[in-house]
Amino acid sequence: MTETQGNWLSEQELNTARSRLPIVYVDAVPVRTDDLGVIIEIGLLLRASADGEVNREIVSGRVLYGERVRDALLRHLEKDLGPLALPQIPASSQPFTIVEYFPNPDITGFHDPRQHAVSLAYIVPVEGDCEPSHDALDLVWLRPDEVLSPTVAAELSPAHEKVIKHALAHSGRPV
Amino acid sequence: MTETQGNWLSEQELNTARSRLPIVYVDAVPVRTDDLGVIIEIGLLLRASADGEVNREIVSGRVLYGERVRDALLRHLEKDLGPLALPQIPASSQPFTIVEYFPNPDITGFHDPRQHAVSLAYIVPVEGDCEPSHDALDLVWLRPDEVLSPTVAAELSPAHEKVIKHALAHSGRPV
Amino acid sequence: MTETQGNWLSEQELNTARSRLPIVYVDAVPVRTDDLGVIIEIGLLLRASADGEVNREIVSGRVLYGERVRDALLRHLEKDLGPLALPQIPASSQPFTIVEYFPNPDITGFHDPRQHAVSLAYIVPVEGDCEPSHDALDLVWLRPDEVLSPTVAAELSPAHEKVIKHALAHSGRPV
Amino acid sequence: MTETQGNWLSEQELNTARSRLPIVYVDAVPVRTDDLGVIIEIGLLLRASADGEVNREIVSGRVLYGERVRDALLRHLEKDLGPLALPQIPASSQPFTIVEYFPNPDITGFHDPRQHAVSLAYIVPVEGDCEPSHDALDLVWLRPDEVLSPTVAAELSPAHEKVIKHALAHSGRPV
């Protein structure tokens, strides 16, 4: 698996690929669940944007060459939530949805100015101690009703807000 | 939730209902997974049948009145695997498949002589210490290739063998 | 299959069962799709309630003893949309979600005062000519944005509104 | 959508990308279904390999830059089954499984010597008249039991055989 770890694709090569091929992504909604698997809290990363705004995000990132989807899920979750997060990668590889991001915001309503990405989305319970990664300001755990409140929702990207709503619907919770 | 715990439906009433209505069931495939969510082992209960044969079974049981599907999953898993099994009930309520059991074995190929049952099937990782319930001879954990070996498969009911194969396919493992 | 057609369970017996066992249901969201499978319109039945209000509903009904889930889907769709509706029952038996209705509205947020029902929910494209069943005032086809408008949503039961929103999210459409 | 149609990525550039990035694919199992959505027949393409062997295949191909998954499904199905095939692209974008193909056959058991591909797999009912594409010898429709017979299975790639078995399991048919 060494080839998946190295930074073998230069930034410029990646940018070229991004303008020519859809990129495989994973989106993970980190959650705390109770004994019954009910979602109690959702983990959101806070990042400062270039223009000083605070954005809230779920875990998201691309799948590298040679890497299984579950390898990519674990790697991104540990990178964003820390090495002691103990994410429970799902036994099933069926995503609860796929999210198709396009530079053109009108195609699916999921917008990514950088690339065309096809993202496999999973709900991932996290059991361990989390600490935000170095490129994040903070990591907060919020109840589903808090996440869906106008204040918080306004700080989520529209795409991530939709993925979270879909994840909650999928868990059986009315949205 | 007291009404779901009591034995309020007599055995005779339940038998009458079973001859007139489809019964809601849950099937749970108990698994041990690694850090990546890969299924390492499957838990099978050994039970002695009336004619002295040994049968291997996954966890299966009906949903009671007033009980959520996730309540029923936790109840049956703790009943069969013990109170310290720590099953990780899935956050998503979407079953990986439904299994339709009929008294007539020709309708779907899933046979239950007692009843028409519609069972929601889930893969459930189990993290704690398991002990077989009092009505089981033993609980064994086997690797997927062991479960699918002719010797073990011959001791599974055909229906449970199919559910396990489907669960393994669903996890991304070729079957 | 004769036993599934007859009215063999008296109204009183059914009421008794409904107070003691969860009932197996199917929910079907009838849709018109384009060549690409994109949902163009959703079919809603209009019914007059006892107090004169107009309610909008998706197709929903119980699974009878001896009946497969796909038999029940076809039966309810043809009953509500007419014999020429040509519903495309999904090849996959995995529901996109399960909906758990309870007499107590607080358990899951999906409320049915009559019963505890576990409903398997499917999106069903309809290709033929539809006519509302005799117990409906009308059948209307509305675009997704129309269905989600406050005026229409107010005439949907909260449970059916949630199922429709979830179906649209599942189809890849942001909700 | 002009950019998705043109052969804008040279063969050499595509080969370079294939050695560095996972490629997004779709796998479609073409089926004939009855009124109840039960799979009656599966469509298999016959192709002659370089060494003169006959191989049977399902529909499979990559997703182009700028193309939605449902666009890619329709394009590949019409290319392989002809313009009058009338494939019923699913309303739901959730694949029934994902298939991870690797040049190394040991990682997932799904092998593709050319590339690392992440394929979204769908069951697609086909209602129209099919004719095999120019690069196929023939298109045959076989019953599920015929497809799973040793003779036919031996002519399927191991990966496609597994995808078909999984699709049949998913449809509720015991495999």
Side-chain angles (χ1 to χ4, degrees):
Chain A
M1 298 283 292
T2 41
E3 78 271 44
T4 68
Q5 308 301 332
N7 196 4
W8 49 264
L9 198 64
S10 74
E11 198 64 25
Q12 189 190 326
E13 287 174 313
L14 182 57
N15 286 338
T16 302
R18 278 183 161 146
S19 67
R20 299 201 171 178
L21 282 175
I23 306 295
V24 185
Y25 258 63
V26 287
D27 279 6
V29 182
V31 299
R32 300 280 193 193
T33 56
D34 67 11
D35 287 355
L36 291 159
V38 174
I39 295 174
I40 301 303
E41 290 178 330
I42 294 170
L44 296 177
L45 292 157
L46 270 74
R47 288 201 168 95
S49 68
D51 55 358
E53 286 187 14
V54 171
N55 294 313
R56 296 172 187 269
E57 295 178 7
I58 57 173
V59 174
S60 183
R62 72 186 178 92
V63 178
L64 298 178
Y65 182 83
E67 199 181 38
R68 282 175 300 176
V69 166
R70 31 180 98 253
D71 295 313
L73 276 172
L74 184 62
R75 180 171 57 83
H76 286 292
L77 284 156
E78 292 195 336
K79 175 168 65 66
D80 282 355
L81 306 184
L84 306 176
L86 298 180
Q88 307 297 300
I89 310 295
S92 166
S93 61
Q94 184 186 34
F96 76 88
T97 196
I98 59 165
V99 189
E100 302 181 77
Y101 296 95
F102 287 96
N104 177 343
D106 296 333
I107 297 180
T108 60
F110 292 96
H111 183 224
D112 187 335
R114 298 168 301 164
Q115 61 192 344
H116 170 193
V118 177
S119 189
L120 311 175
Y122 298 90
I123 304 171
V124 183
V126 170
E127 296 192 331
D129 295 323
C130 297
E131 50 183 51
S133 64
H134 62 287
D135 67 335
L137 299 178
D138 203 358
L139 167 70
V140 292
W141 293 92
L142 298 175
R143 294 191 315 270
D145 62 296
E146 292 173 318
V147 173
L148 300 177
S149 71
T151 318
V152 175
E155 294 174 359
L156 282 163
S157 77
H160 284 189
E161 182 191 359
K162 290 163 201 161
V163 173
I164 292 171
K165 278 187 178 174
H166 193 173
L168 287 169
H170 211 70
S171 76
R173 185 185 186 282
V175 174
Chain B
M1 297 284 289
T2 41
E3 79 272 40
T4 68
Q5 308 302 330
N7 196 3
W8 48 264
L9 197 63
S10 75
E11 197 65 23
Q12 187 190 325
E13 287 173 313
L14 181 57
N15 287 338
T16 303
R18 279 183 160 144
S19 68
R20 301 202 170 176
L21 281 176
I23 306 295
V24 186
Y25 258 62
V26 287
D27 280 6
V29 181
V31 299
R32 301 279 194 194
T33 57
D34 66 13
D35 285 357
L36 291 160
V38 173
I39 296 175
I40 302 302
E41 292 179 328
I42 295 170
L44 296 176
L45 292 158
L46 271 72
R47 289 203 168 93
S49 69
D51 56 359
E53 287 186 13
V54 170
N55 294 312
R56 295 173 188 268
E57 294 178 7
I58 57 173
V59 173
S60 183
R62 72 185 179 91
V63 178
L64 297 179
Y65 183 83
E67 200 180 35
R68 282 175 300 176
V69 166
R70 30 182 97 255
D71 295 313
L73 275 171
L74 184 62
R75 180 171 57 82
H76 286 291
L77 284 157
E78 292 196 335
K79 174 168 64 65
D80 282 356
L81 306 184
L84 305 177
L86 298 180
Q88 306 297 300
I89 309 296
S92 166
S93 61
Q94 185 187 31
F96 75 88
T97 196
I98 60 164
V99 189
E100 303 182 74
Y101 296 94
F102 286 95
N104 177 342
D106 297 333
I107 297 180
T108 59
F110 292 96
H111 183 221
D112 187 334
R114 296 167 303 165
Q115 63 193 340
H116 171 193
V118 177
S119 190
L120 311 175
Y122 298 89
I123 304 171
V124 184
V126 170
E127 297 193 330
D129 295 322
C130 296
E131 51 183 49
S133 65
H134 62 287
D135 67 336
L137 299 177
D138 203 358
L139 167 69
V140 293
W141 292 93
L142 299 174
R143 294 192 314 271
D145 61 296
E146 293 174 317
V147 172
L148 299 178
S149 70
T151 319
V152 174
E155 294 174 0
L156 282 163
S157 77
H160 284 190
E161 183 191 359
K162 289 162 202 162
V163 173
I164 291 170
K165 279 187 178 176
H166 193 172
L168 287 170
H170 211 70
S171 75
R173 185 188 186 280
V175 174
Chain C
M1 298 283 290
T2 40
E3 77 270 44
T4 69
Q5 309 301 332
N7 196 4
W8 48 265
L9 198 65
S10 74
E11 197 64 25
Q12 188 190 326
E13 286 173 313
L14 181 57
N15 286 338
T16 303
R18 279 183 160 147
S19 67
R20 299 201 171 179
L21 282 175
I23 306 296
V24 186
Y25 258 62
V26 287
D27 280 6
V29 181
V31 298
R32 301 280 194 194
T33 56
D34 66 13
D35 286 356
L36 291 159
V38 174
I39 296 174
I40 301 302
E41 292 179 328
I42 295 170
L44 296 176
L45 292 157
L46 270 73
R47 288 202 168 94
S49 68
D51 55 359
E53 287 186 14
V54 170
N55 295 312
R56 294 173 188 267
E57 294 178 7
I58 57 173
V59 173
S60 182
R62 72 186 179 91
V63 178
L64 298 179
Y65 182 82
E67 199 180 36
R68 282 175 300 175
V69 166
R70 31 181 98 253
D71 295 312
L73 275 171
L74 184 62
R75 180 171 57 81
H76 286 292
L77 283 156
E78 291 195 335
K79 176 168 63 65
D80 282 356
L81 306 184
L84 304 177
L86 298 181
Q88 307 297 301
I89 309 296
S92 165
S93 61
Q94 183 187 34
F96 75 89
T97 195
I98 59 165
V99 190
E100 303 181 76
Y101 296 95
F102 287 95
N104 176 344
D106 296 333
I107 297 180
T108 59
F110 292 96
H111 183 223
D112 186 334
R114 297 167 303 164
Q115 62 192 343
H116 169 193
V118 177
S119 190
L120 311 175
Y122 299 89
I123 303 171
V124 184
V126 170
E127 296 192 332
D129 294 323
C130 296
E131 50 183 50
S133 64
H134 62 287
D135 67 337
L137 299 176
D138 203 358
L139 167 69
V140 292
W141 293 92
L142 298 174
R143 294 191 315 271
D145 61 295
E146 293 174 319
V147 172
L148 300 177
S149 71
T151 318
V152 174
E155 294 174 0
L156 282 162
S157 77
H160 284 190
E161 183 191 357
K162 290 163 202 162
V163 173
I164 291 170
K165 279 187 179 176
H166 193 172
L168 287 170
H170 212 70
S171 75
R173 184 187 186 281
V175 175
Chain D
M1 297 282 289
T2 41
E3 78 272 44
T4 70
Q5 308 301 331
N7 196 3
W8 48 265
L9 197 63
S10 74
E11 197 66 23
Q12 188 191 325
E13 286 173 314
L14 182 56
N15 286 339
T16 304
R18 278 182 162 147
S19 68
R20 300 202 170 176
L21 281 176
I23 306 295
V24 185
Y25 258 62
V26 287
D27 280 6
V29 182
V31 299
R32 300 278 192 195
T33 57
D34 67 11
D35 287 356
L36 291 159
V38 173
I39 295 174
I40 301 303
E41 291 178 329
I42 295 170
L44 296 177
L45 292 158
L46 270 72
R47 289 202 168 95
S49 68
D51 56 358
E53 287 187 13
V54 171
N55 295 312
R56 295 173 187 269
E57 294 178 8
I58 58 173
V59 174
S60 184
R62 71 186 179 93
V63 178
L64 298 178
Y65 182 83
E67 200 181 36
R68 282 176 299 176
V69 166
R70 31 181 95 254
D71 295 313
L73 276 171
L74 185 61
R75 179 171 57 82
H76 286 292
L77 283 156
E78 293 195 336
K79 175 170 63 67
D80 282 355
L81 307 184
L84 305 176
L86 298 180
Q88 307 297 301
I89 309 296
S92 166
S93 61
Q94 184 187 33
F96 75 89
T97 196
I98 59 165
V99 189
E100 302 181 76
Y101 296 95
F102 287 95
N104 176 342
D106 296 333
I107 297 180
T108 60
F110 292 97
H111 183 222
D112 187 334
R114 298 168 301 163
Q115 62 192 342
H116 171 192
V118 177
S119 190
L120 311 175
Y122 298 89
I123 303 170
V124 183
V126 170
E127 297 193 330
D129 295 323
C130 296
E131 51 184 49
S133 64
H134 62 288
D135 67 336
L137 299 177
D138 203 359
L139 166 70
V140 292
W141 292 93
L142 298 174
R143 294 191 316 270
D145 61 296
E146 293 174 317
V147 173
L148 300 178
S149 71
T151 318
V152 174
E155 295 174 359
L156 282 162
S157 77
H160 284 190
E161 182 191 358
K162 290 162 200 162
V163 173
I164 292 171
K165 279 187 178 175
H166 193 171
L168 288 169
H170 212 70
S171 75
R173 185 186 185 282
V175 174

